[in-house]
Amino acid sequence: MSLYENWLKQAYNDQGRSIKSVWDVYIPQEQKIYEDILENKITNIKGTVLSLAEKYNMSNEFICGFLDGINDASENPISIKDLTETQEISLDIDLKNLYKKMVQYKAQHLCDLPQWDNIFTEEERNNLYIDQKNSRTVVKGAKIGRNEPCPCGSGKKYKRCCGAK
């Protein structure tokens, strides 16, 4: 069984729901890694799963879970499903993208870390937050009335052209 499969088996039950007891242990450990990354402005994570697990005092599966989360903010994502303990990892992290991903995944405990103050001003963070929230908003165009000209350019009324059922 792969590291990733072991991580999923630990973190989620057979119905795909989170196992609270695992997440209660994992989340504070994950937060310490992000605090280190932000405090030291680390934009490249290098090493093997084993070396990262040793550095951050976590299990290999927890490191795999961390890498799965931060992989989305990487400029050069790795294949998490095929990850091995001795595989060399090099992830280039875009801190703006990382903050936006934290907003997207509703990881408020990570968005509120005081270490962000060393990277972005409060105004910059607010702008990144708004940008991310707006990127998920669907803006519909004006509704076409039944008796208005069809937008396809046929010259017919909408109800007789593209709006016909």
Side-chain angles (χ1 to χ4, degrees), residues 106-156:
K106 300 177 182 168
Q108 198 62 41
H109 66 288
L110 298 175
C111 292
D112 293 341
L113 290 174
Q115 288 81 0
W116 283 113
D117 295 340
N118 299 327
I119 297 171
F120 303 121
T121 65
E122 188 173 338
E123 182 181 345
E124 288 173 320
R125 281 193 312 219
N126 285 338
N127 289 338
L128 290 171
Y129 185 89
I130 290 167
D131 285 349
Q132 178 57 39
K133 288 294 186 182
N134 287 341
S135 73
R136 309 272 300 156
T137 304
V138 176
V139 179
K140 293 183 178 180
K143 187 174 179 182
I144 302 166
R146 290 174 32 85
N147 290 317
E148 292 180 24
C150 190
C152 76
S154 66
K156 297 179 182 179

Side-chain angles (χ1 to χ4, degrees), residues 7 10-11 19-33 56-59 62-63 109:
W7 160 246
Q10 279 185 18
I19 299 174
K20 186 179 180 330
S21 60
V22 173
W23 289 96
D24 287 345
V25 173
Y26 171 78
I27 288 175
Q29 291 182 12
E30 176 194 44
Q31 183 170 325
K32 286 181 183 178
I33 297 175
Y56 292 112
N57 197 27
M58 294 174 82
S59 71
F62 276 20
I63 286 294
H109 66 288

Side-chain angles (χ1 to χ4, degrees), residues 71-124:
N71 201 31
D72 287 344
S74 176
E75 296 172 6
N76 56 332
I78 59 174
S79 175
I80 296 294
K81 293 179 182 176
D82 303 325
L83 198 59
T84 65
E85 294 173 344
T86 57
Q87 180 178 339
E88 281 294 323
I89 298 165
S90 180
L91 289 175
D92 293 318
I93 306 301
D94 176 359
L95 295 176
K96 285 183 180 182
N97 194 18
L98 178 61
Y99 186 81
K100 286 182 172 185
K101 290 295 181 184
M102 289 177 177
V103 171
Q104 179 183 348
Y105 296 133
K106 300 177 182 168
Q108 198 62 41
H109 66 288
L110 298 175
C111 292
D112 293 341
L113 290 174
Q115 288 81 0
W116 283 113
D117 295 340
N118 299 327
I119 297 171
F120 303 121
T121 65
E122 188 173 338
E123 182 181 345
E124 288 173 320

Side-chain angles (χ1 to χ4, degrees), residues 1-12 22 26 47-54 58-69 78-89:
M1 191 175 290
S2 73
L3 276 176
Y4 183 68
E5 290 169 331
N6 284 339
W7 160 246
L8 293 178
K9 189 174 182 177
Q10 279 185 18
Y12 301 98
V22 173
Y26 171 78
T48 63
V49 171
L50 287 171
S51 67
L52 292 171
E54 186 176 301
M58 294 174 82
S59 71
N60 293 339
E61 289 79 15
F62 276 20
I63 286 294
C64 188
F66 165 74
L67 292 171
D68 187 26
I78 59 174
S79 175
I80 296 294
K81 293 179 182 176
D82 303 325
L83 198 59
T84 65
E85 294 173 344
T86 57
Q87 180 178 339
E88 281 294 323
I89 298 165

